[in-house]
Amino acid sequence: MSLLKVYKGSDFDIEIDNIASDKSISHRSAIFSLLSDKPSKIRNYLKAEDTINTLSIIKSLGADISMSNDELLIVPPKKLLEPANILDCGNSGTAMRLFCGFLSSKLGFFVLHGDRYLASRPMKRVTNPLREIGASIDGREDGNLSPLCIRGSNALEGFEYESKIASAQVKSAMILAALNAKDNSTYIEPYLSRDHSEKMLKAMGANILSMIQDDGKNKIYIKPLKKSLEPLDIDIPSDPSSAFFFAVAAAISKNSTTVLKNILLNPTRIEAFEILKKMGADIEYIIKDEKYEKIGDIIVKSSPLRGINIDKNIAWLIDELPALSIAMAVAKGKSRVKNAKELRVKESDRISSVVKALKACGIEVREYEDGYEIVGGKIKGAKVDSFGDHRIAMSFAIAGLSDGMIVSDIDCIKTSFPNFLDILKKITRIEVAD
Ligand code: S3P
């Protein structure tokens, strides 16, 4: 359980071209490669604990994986293997939920499990709708908690399912099940959540049609696959959720600039940058490419920040709210986050983690069931816990630029952004102790 000491920073001007690759797209590219009968080529796959676990799982399912010059070649098995051992999703909710949908619709017996944090995260949001269409899934608390035992079937029913939460994990699990169901399916979410699954699967040839309704709901029509999909040939861009830590670093430091290179600019993923811009930060996008997704550079320059209220499009911000809370803590005036109850079931209870850590830093914070209110001030150096949550650890490491910080239990950073500290080192002094 390593401890990180971050020293107070000074102004910086930095170009960062090695932000970790996108986690959501990495998981998906590995899993979706199993839907083709030809090898997929994936460049810049995220080499972090979560996504390496996903590769181990597809290997246990029979995929042949090789790597040359940073290109991952995934040769799918002719027929999925029934693994002899449990499939370890580590800390990743995305892996567990997507595999749950995928494996429910494949013949065989599969057991998915994860670390102690994942073991307490809700799974009924996927197991219930999957059971309704005929999937056989069991787990603790009547299928709400992992390990999950799946007896897959190739005879799941088509469905019309309306989810109460805008969750890309639930949506992707249901789409994966629908692709192997007997009839057509319709999935409805309250508003568009990150849409990488739909985009990538459509590009691979799946028959998926998404339509935003007049009331804002997103309706997706999915036809079962008649044949294998085309393989992927993809360059994974850098993860905007990881890049955002360094956007906040520039925004809260005086006279500082960061150029974040080759970042995924999908609109459902850059809302936090838009919020930071509304708070007063100087942010510019330079679009460079668009194949499966829009990709480009983001330039962030410091300027005085003001408080903001957030209560909409929470799914578009869910991973960045901890880092955004650091910007709110130094902004002029009050900021409020509401309608964000989902934060309580992330890698940690992020409402409680943010509130506890900010209080330790001398910031006035009020906790709500579905969010918090932060009164901007000066972040004081303190010792804070990561609660085993990578995004809390990295957010408070960045907060340390104000007046220094000690963050405990930082090993979790490896789950999504293994070179985070190497980059942080370029803008301030840090020490790591075991
Ligand atoms: C993800 C979806 C989000 C996000 C997570 C990654 C994905 O979770 O928080 O880090 O890749 O689908 P929810 O679907 O639970 O909102």
Side-chain angles (χ1 to χ4, degrees):
M1 293 239 280
S2 310
L3 200 74
L4 169 69
K5 184 166 182 183
V6 179
Y7 288 82
K8 183 176 177 349
S10 52
D11 48 357
F12 63 88
D13 187 342
I14 186 177
E15 183 175 292
I16 310 175
D17 63 2
N18 58 345
I19 294 284
S21 297
D22 192 74
K23 186 147 79 84
S24 293
I25 298 184
S26 294
H27 280 301
R28 284 164 173 76
S29 61
I31 301 171
F32 297 174
S33 68
L34 301 182
L35 295 168
S36 180
D37 56 0
K38 301 186 198 82
S40 281
K41 290 179 190 160
I42 303 161
R43 288 163 298 279
N44 305 327
Y45 187 85
L46 174 63
K47 289 169 215 76
E49 268 177 17
D50 277 5
T51 45
I52 288 173
N53 283 331
T54 290
L55 285 183
S56 303
I57 293 178
I58 65 160
K59 203 168 170 195
S60 302
L61 295 169
D64 185 71
I65 301 170
S66 56
M67 182 88 168
S68 84
N69 298 331
D70 205 33
E71 183 175 89
L72 197 63
L73 188 74
I74 302 183
V75 183
K78 290 211 163 42
K79 189 175 169 296
L80 220 60
L81 292 185
E82 184 181 70
N85 289 318
I86 50 177
L87 303 170
D88 184 3
C89 300
N91 188 245
S92 173
T94 308
M96 182 159 289
R97 296 189 178 117
L98 267 61
F99 275 118
C100 189
F102 177 71
L103 294 173
S104 291
S105 67
K106 299 282 171 204
L107 284 179
F109 177 70
F110 312 95
V111 181
L112 293 168
H113 94 133
D115 66 11
R116 68 190 167 98
Y117 301 101
L118 187 56
S120 63
R121 294 182 61 191
M123 292 297 148
K124 252 189 190 149
R125 52 185 58 198
V126 288
T127 57
N128 273 356
L130 287 168
R131 282 156 147 187
E132 270 172 37
I133 59 170
S136 163
I137 309 171
D138 208 352
R140 292 179 300 128
E141 271 190 15
D142 192 27
N144 192 33
L145 300 177
S146 66
L148 297 178
C149 301
I150 302 170
R151 187 164 294 285
S153 151
N154 57 3
L156 296 185
E157 304 292 335
F159 57 85
E160 167 150 346
Y161 181 71
E162 177 157 359
S163 170
K164 289 199 178 67
I165 43 172
S167 160
Q169 294 177 359
V170 177
K171 170 172 68 176
S172 305
M174 294 308 288
I175 291 177
L176 286 167
L179 289 178
N180 213 27
K182 288 191 294 185
D183 321 290
N184 296 347
S185 298
T186 310
Y187 181 87
I188 303 158
E189 55 182 348
Y191 60 93
L192 180 72
S193 63
R194 66 186 69 185
D195 54 356
H196 311 306
S197 293
E198 302 91 298
K199 284 192 162 156
M200 292 169 73
L201 290 166
K202 272 188 225 169
M204 292 171 78
N207 200 327
I208 296 176
L209 180 71
S210 313
M211 290 207 303
I212 306 282
Q213 311 294 291
D214 291 343
D215 58 5
K217 289 181 183 170
N218 182 30
K219 203 165 186 175
I220 306 166
Y221 303 91
I222 311 122
K223 290 201 170 146
L225 296 184
K226 290 207 181 82
K227 56 179 174 67
S228 294
L229 294 178
E230 288 306 312
L232 284 161
D233 185 352
I234 185 172
D235 287 288
I236 301 186
S238 288
D239 194 317
S241 308
S242 296
F244 192 64
F245 296 109
F246 292 100
V248 171
I252 67 168
S253 305
K254 290 205 175 65
N255 306 319
S256 295
T257 304
T258 180
V259 181
L260 303 157
K261 306 286 285 180
N262 302 321
I263 311 295
L264 169 70
L265 298 179
N266 178 309
T268 65
R269 299 292 304 282
I270 55 165
E271 182 73 357
F273 291 88
E274 292 297 295
I275 298 286
L276 200 56
K277 200 171 179 176
K278 283 191 190 142
M279 292 175 77
D282 180 346
I283 299 188
E284 194 189 334
Y285 305 96
I286 300 170
I287 295 163
K288 296 200 323 205
D289 193 15
E290 189 159 1
K291 188 182 170 190
Y292 297 97
E293 297 275 8
K294 203 180 274 180
I295 296 165
D297 299 343
I298 308 179
I299 304 170
V300 185
K301 292 184 184 150
S302 48
S303 79
L305 300 178
R306 48 189 177 269
I308 194 161
N309 290 337
I310 301 173
D311 59 7
K312 281 198 289 293
N313 284 351
I314 296 297
W316 294 22
L317 288 167
I318 200 78
D319 291 338
E320 296 79 26
L321 281 169
L324 211 42
S325 77
I326 306 303
M328 291 172 172
V330 301
K332 189 161 183 278
K334 281 184 189 166
S335 295
R336 195 177 302 128
V337 175
K338 294 284 283 171
N339 290 331
K341 219 172 162 184
E342 270 295 298
L343 280 178
R344 294 211 180 264
V345 292
K346 287 292 165 185
E347 284 83 330
S348 70
D349 173 344
R350 285 186 179 155
I351 294 182
S352 158
S353 310
V354 162
V355 168
K356 281 192 186 124
L358 283 181
K359 277 188 179 160
C361 301
I363 297 293
E364 200 183 319
V365 203
R366 222 168 117 194
E367 178 168 350
Y368 303 119
E369 189 43 35
D370 65 344
Y372 37 74
E373 183 178 81
I374 298 174
V375 183
K378 180 160 172 24
I379 298 179
K380 294 203 195 83
K383 182 173 177 192
V384 298
D385 190 359
S386 73
F387 301 94
D389 183 335
H390 56 137
R391 301 212 192 271
I392 300 292
M394 291 186 273
S395 298
F396 283 86
I398 295 298
L401 294 173
S402 290
D403 186 36
M405 191 74 64
I406 294 178
V407 188
S408 65
D409 193 4
I410 57 147
D411 297 337
C412 49
I413 292 176
K414 290 189 215 128
T415 60
S416 64
F417 198 168
N419 60 330
F420 171 80
L421 294 180
D422 296 332
I423 302 176
L424 184 59
K425 238 186 253 172
K426 292 190 177 150
I427 58 178
T428 195
R429 192 176 148 211
I430 62 168
E431 283 167 19
V432 179
D434 285 330

